[in-house]
Amino acid sequence: MSFTPENLARAQSVIAQYPDAHSAILPLAHIAQDQDGWLTTEAMAEIADLVGTTPADVQGVCSFYTMYKRRPCGKLVVSVCTNVTCLVVGGPEILEHLNDRYAADDDVFVEEVECLAACGNAPAMQVNYEYHEHLVPEMAAAIVDDYKSGVLQPRGVSGGLK
Amino acid sequence: MTAVNEAKTTVTVTIDGKSIEARPGELLIKVAQDNGIYIPRFCWHERMKPVGMCRMCLVEVDGIRGFPPACTMPVSEAMVCHTDTDSVKAAQDGVLELLLINHPLDCPVCDRGGECPLQDTTLAFGPVESRFVEEKRHFEKPIAISDLVLLDRERCIQCARCTRFADEIAGDPLISFVDRGDHTQVLNFPDDPFSSYFSGNVVQICPVGALTAKPYRFKARPWDLATVETSCTTCAVHCRGAVQSSSNQIVRLLGVDSEPVNQGWLCDKGRFGYEHVHSAARVLTPRVGGREASWPQALDAAVAELKSAKNLHGGGAIAMIGGASGTNESAYAWARLTKGVIGTDNVDAQLGDGIAAEVVLGSDRAQISDLDNAAAIVLCAGDLKEELPVLFLRVKRAALELGVPLVDLSAAPHGLSKYVTHALGAAPGEQGLVAEQLASAIGGATPANETIAAATRSIGSREGNIVVILGRTSLAERDDTVVSAAAALGALPRVRFLSALRRSNVHGALEAGLAPGFLPGRVSLDSGRVHFTSNWGSVPAERGLGTEGILRACAEGKIHVLVLVGADPLADFPDRSLAKQALDTVGVVIAIDAFETPSNRRAKVFMPCTLWAEQGGTVTNLEGRVQRVSRKVSASGLALDDWRIASELAQRMGSDFDLETVDEITEEFSRVAPAWAGASTATIRNARDGVVLPFADHLGEVVFRRGGSSLDIEYSLSWEPIRADGDDVAVEASDVDETAEIDRTIATEDALTLFVWDRVVAPRSIPQRDAYALRVNVGRKLYDGGRIVAESPSLVGLKKAPTMLVSSADAARLGVLSGESVKATSSRGSITVELKAARGIAPGTASLGFSADGTGASELIDASVSVTDIRVETLR
């Protein structure tokens, strides 16, 4: 889907911040991903057009970063840390629990990530890049359920505030 | 490119104990290579910026911790570098082992097998065994990233040569690295193929078999190929190349790195267009009256027609169009036949789609390399990306990398538009007026507007010459707008012209006198009369007609025999209606061609000629550079070289040329043609980068080959810039045995002066455009309907139906949607064409591609009017 008029205006104001429009690819991809729920090929082509490059160039930049999802990932991106500190206090168990629980749920995309820099309150996870720390598996699931039911208001899938 | 510090000083570095003088800032890998020390590499390419990607060129430098890559390390004073210590070898072993981890061992079925840098480097520098036992990564193999290039991602070692070429050199970043880590792969965007005009270059520079070219895949093994250096004659740039054949079939053309010409690159039309030589559509037997005949029958029949027309109506009743597709020698033989034997000056190598020969031959000429340090480049030509692709690369590089201002007189957007610094926005047909304004501003008058003022300031602030690239800006306009632009700019002191005529060897043909009013060697008919009468016996009494005049005279019944030498006026002449009338009316057509075309279909006599790579000799490019082309495969069928046909005809007309070989013609050409004075066969053969005409003025620039005329291209080095062997410094010709005798006498003895254009132009007026009409700009496309594209299976599918581009304001005014078919009508005729709204098109104008297959734009153009206005209506 192409940019909505508001997002197009935002995109243009972002482009205006850089001496070289090419530098705006990353923030524009975030805007597109928050809008569409993932980074579509149409969005990459539109970004290319806006910053004056080829879609292949935008694809090359965006595919380098794992935070840009190039296939649909539902409404919630749940990132569970399994790096050293979380590993020893139950991160993998949380990951396994969430993976099982939401295996058939198209709204929830569970991924294993490297250190979230929340070692002080490990284990940690992010839901659409909002931190939740000091977890046990059931508690993590309850938080995701709260987002699903609307008790908690999620950010966009790229972490943008709604 | 290496960042070269302009400071005069040099630095002294020590590489492997050898003391070397180098320029500060030069890259270590290059300094080593220039001094005979080869540091292994995959990603570094001399013509591109270094990236330090493959890590193969790790070396040790005293005082620097670890192993810096030599390709990103500039040399500095007293640097001490080691490339062959045990620890460097261990580092190289390690890098190669890592590079080989994911590389499949499918060498037996890989096109690169046998000329593979990875194979060679592994053998020379690599470890003996791999410790990697895990599964290699897998991708679908191979995938087509364009119609011509296939990509095998398993073989790729991520050197970024292809992606950097696409971005830095071609300006088409349509391929890029996608994903990261061990998933990193080169890929195009979905549904957006790598359809660059230069895509074949990435196949040549790929250091593994990851990129392969569709036309060459599985055709041959490199060790079975026979190679010879030649020039590509698809357009008038004449890029140096190495043509390779197997079993008498051409299978590949590689770009050879000639600094003054193509810097190693080729366009895809040139690289893959060799296929047309082996087309099944070639006519291989002479024909008389449509029936196959023997050569004696065909020659006798042609001579009978020529003699009868000459006896009944005089030589002027015979005309010749063409001669631009062969060699200089062929052009010379045809010039001598038509002007010296038949006695007609109705001879033209151009097809009404170029510029007057006076302007091309008689203006101060620039060389391609002058673009690099010009004060400014003025574009007054068609779309160089479509017409002269490798010249486009050079102009783009000058503008983008070397900071040369680009001043644009074009009336329609083109491939260089995004690199233009001063767009003067001339309307179709008005380039001449804008050029006059620019010229008077440069001359000191008050600038007509702010853009001209800005262009004048930036030109004024720079040293060097102003290089004007001069070509036919639009086929829908007469050439007089370009001629008046040339007259205005040519009057300025430091202006030099680079011709943008595109057809093959058209410059060689013009230099050989295949234009009305000219004789070989850049002399006019009048000034060369005495000299050529003594050499040839006779020359025409008065100046004849150009192609437009010839066709008009044919249509009026004044010309009785029309000789077409590799020319197809119905396809190439901008005004199809006039061409058709001429061919329908003229009594006899004699055709010398390799293919049957609409123009020669009803030829009384058809004589098949050889094509590129079947004939040897010399050709002359758009800067006047004479280079050799080589015969690589034997002539198809009964086809003969054009010069041989001319010589046989002359003999039957009672005038024996006594020229038996190509070299004999070259010798005669250089003996009688003033611009060629001194340029003997031996000189041309031994000059690494050819010789520039007039030879006497450019003698000092010639670089002679070491070791005579032999040329060895190591097939294993095809991925690196291929250079013909030569000394780095120009050698005085007198130092070389074969060229000791430079005969400058012909330029002086007969008081022959090279032709200089007097810059006199007839006053012209451009008709007013009425408010409902669009003024159309018609330009060539690279993949047009011409014979090379049509007869090359790999290229024919790349031809696109022409579309008409208009501004979105005009599309809205006409009530037409972008993508809709419309009827376009001019005073001449009407066509149905798809219309698209596009950025950069000025309101009131339209831009249309020329098809070169006798349909489309040529139905709209009237050669007798100065501009073409059309009306557009919907078909709804």
Side-chain angles (χ1 to χ4, degrees), chain B residues 287 290 564 589 591 596-604 606 787:
Chain B
R287 293 175 186 171
L564 299 175
V589 172
E596 191 178 282
T597 65
S599 302
N600 65 32
R601 196 154 289 151
R602 44 173 286 276
K604 184 85 178 273
F606 188 114
R787 299 258 63 93

Side-chain angles (χ1 to χ4, degrees), chain B residues 352 472 475-480 548 552 573-575 578 765 767 827-828 860-868:
Chain B
R472 185 71 164 262
L475 297 171
E477 297 157 14
R478 292 181 63 84
D479 71 349
D480 49 10
E548 188 189 336
R552 223 171 278 288
F573 188 69
D575 180 346
L578 175 57
S765 64
S827 59
R828 195 59 143 186
L860 298 175
I861 299 167
D862 181 345
S864 64
V865 298
S866 57
V867 286
T868 306

Side-chain angles (χ1 to χ4, degrees), chain A residues 10 27 29-35 67 75 127-130 153-162:
Chain A
R10 278 178 68 199
H30 278 301
I31 295 175
Q33 180 159 281
D34 274 337
Q35 174 186 301
M67 283 166 71
K75 297 194 180 84
V127 179
N128 287 5
Y129 304 100
E130 196 142 13
Q153 202 56 41
R155 298 179 175 204
V157 290
S158 228
L161 293 172
K162 284 273 162 103

Side-chain angles (χ1 to χ4, degrees), chain B residues 319 321 346 350-352 545-559 562 564 568-570 572-583 585-586 599 863:
Chain B
I321 300 176
N346 299 327
Q350 302 193 69
L351 280 124
L545 302 166
T547 291
E548 188 189 336
I550 292 171
L551 292 176
R552 223 171 278 288
C554 286
E556 289 163 4
K558 291 178 189 154
I559 283 177
L562 178 61
L564 299 175
D568 182 1
L570 279 177
D572 281 327
F573 188 69
D575 180 346
R576 180 175 158 83
S577 161
L578 175 57
K580 188 166 185 318
Q581 231 183 320
L583 287 162
T585 315
V586 72
S599 302

